[in-house]
Amino acid sequence: MHRIKPNTEAQQSVSQYNANDAKRRNDLGTCLKNARINLHMQQRTVVEELAYYGISISAGALSKWENGDAMPNPYQFFALCYVYHIDDVLAFFCGNRGRKLNKIGRRKLQEYEQDLLATGLYESTEAEIIHESLKSIKLASLPHEKTIKMPVSLLKTSAGYGNFLEEDNFEEKEFPASTVPYGAAFGVYITGDSMLPRYKDGDLVWIQPCEQLHPHEIGIFICDGEGYIKMYDEVLPDKGYLEEYTDSSGEIHMQPMLVSLNTRYAPKVIGSNCDFRIVGRVLN
């Protein structure tokens, strides 16, 4: 019997993924929920879209998938990928960025796909054609969406230091008004993979300036001049920092800690001698 030699590149890709950890974190449900929110779709709208692909579920079932209380079967999962326009499943759900395309690149790829379909030379299945036609009718009936100009940093959060907050490093860009969350003051692009699976390299996040965050909120921070996007948390100081976090009345204060959603990165505990400040809250 001949044995098939393992693919080293595939092994390396698999070694970065652990099913038990992903299930514990509810990676699949979180990604599905973020995909829906990014498209500004209500759960009932997703249910209606799924019907075009032969999937009949309730909004409650969709909610269970997003919360990790249940999982879609393979056919339901593929239908969701069609609804959410997810072409590269591994890249979206596991952070395997084989194509190395950022958000703008993926959008251009989708635009090229639409150009090919418009020629009539590359036909989809009948069900897909009917679905796209119905969507076109619905979109045509909608009023033209308003746009809004927002300042966006030209520098990414972890690409250097806190310079992304300097006024000279911002430019105004125009966005559909519905894509900018209420309360956002400016946008920042993300670099790196420390916040996978929720945020990917090249994603644009919207920031609401604030000086305090609650534990488990995602925020933008400056620590010793360097910019970070992390989840904020607090821990009881260990013995080495206990005196530094005890005030004159004897009360012990919690020590800030920045947590990456990608478990490959260790949390960053903020020492009392660190020049640390909270810039704002991530709204999307």
Side-chain angles (χ1 to χ4, degrees):
M1 179 182 296
H2 296 286
R3 292 182 179 272
I4 300 175
K5 294 182 178 180
N7 185 308
T8 304
E9 185 177 348
Q11 281 185 327
Q12 291 174 347
S13 176
V14 171
S15 66
Q16 298 174 4
Y17 177 80
N18 185 289
N20 290 327
D21 289 343
K23 184 177 181 180
R24 175 177 52 80
R25 294 190 302 263
N26 187 31
D27 286 357
L28 179 60
T30 301
C31 286
L32 290 175
K33 183 175 182 179
N34 287 339
R36 176 177 60 80
I37 292 174
N38 287 339
L39 291 173
H40 303 281
M41 299 177 71
Q42 300 292 329
Q43 288 184 338
R44 69 178 188 283
T45 307
V46 176
V47 170
E48 294 171 359
E49 295 277 347
L50 285 172
Y52 294 131
Y53 297 99
I55 301 298
S56 178
I57 64 163
S58 65
L62 180 62
S63 180
K64 287 184 178 180
W65 294 346
E66 293 181 349
N67 295 330
D69 298 327
M71 285 291 108
N73 65 38
Y75 298 102
Q76 294 167 333
F77 175 76
F78 289 137
L80 282 169
C81 289
Y82 275 111
V83 171
Y84 295 146
H85 309 295
I86 300 170
D87 296 321
D88 194 333
V89 176
L90 280 180
F92 188 85
F93 290 96
C94 303
N96 183 339
R97 302 184 57 79
R99 291 187 300 181
K100 304 298 182 184
L101 290 179
N102 60 18
K103 197 170 185 178
I104 297 174
R106 294 195 298 273
R107 187 176 68 245
K108 288 185 176 296
L109 186 62
Q110 290 176 347
E111 291 172 353
Y112 181 64
E113 180 187 20
Q114 294 303 315
D115 289 341
L116 290 176
L117 291 174
T119 66
L121 300 175
Y122 310 94
E123 295 185 356
S124 301
T125 64
E126 184 178 354
E128 289 175 315
I129 294 173
I130 293 173
H131 174 61
E132 292 301 325
S133 298
L134 290 171
K135 285 180 67 178
S136 298
I137 293 171
K138 288 193 295 183
L139 290 173
S141 65
L142 294 174
H144 182 68
E145 185 173 7
K146 294 181 179 179
T147 59
I148 183 174
K149 288 186 176 181
M150 293 292 294
V152 176
S153 175
L154 298 174
L155 301 179
K156 297 182 179 181
T157 52
S158 57
Y161 294 88
N163 299 331
F164 68 88
L165 292 177
E166 294 180 2
E167 186 175 353
D168 292 342
N169 289 323
F170 279 83
E171 72 173 2
E172 279 202 339
K173 294 186 177 182
E174 200 164 350
F175 299 90
S178 61
T179 65
V180 180
Y182 176 78
F186 63 91
V188 175
Y189 287 101
I190 296 173
T191 185
D193 62 352
S194 66
M195 293 301 282
L196 288 174
R198 185 178 300 182
Y199 303 108
K200 299 178 177 60
D201 183 55
D203 281 353
L204 174 65
V205 293
W206 294 106
I207 310 302
Q208 178 186 46
C210 64
E211 296 181 355
Q212 292 183 325
L213 288 174
H214 297 293
H216 302 152
E217 283 190 304
I218 307 294
I220 296 284
F221 310 90
I222 298 291
C223 184
D224 288 335
E226 191 166 359
Y228 296 91
I229 172 172
K230 300 289 181 185
M231 182 176 74
Y232 180 76
D233 206 350
E234 295 177 345
V235 293
L236 191 66
D238 59 25
K239 293 181 180 179
Y241 290 101
L242 195 58
E243 183 176 349
E244 298 177 18
Y245 284 89
T246 304
D247 61 24
S248 57
S249 63
E251 182 180 355
I252 299 175
H253 297 271
M254 300 295 281
Q255 187 172 5
M257 181 172 68
L258 303 183
V259 181
S260 299
L261 299 184
N262 187 339
T263 55
R264 289 192 297 159
Y265 294 84
K268 181 180 179 64
V269 180
I270 306 301
S272 61
N273 59 343
C274 176
D275 183 13
F276 174 76
R277 69 184 177 97
I278 296 172
V279 176
R281 178 183 293 107
V282 175
L283 297 178
N284 57 315

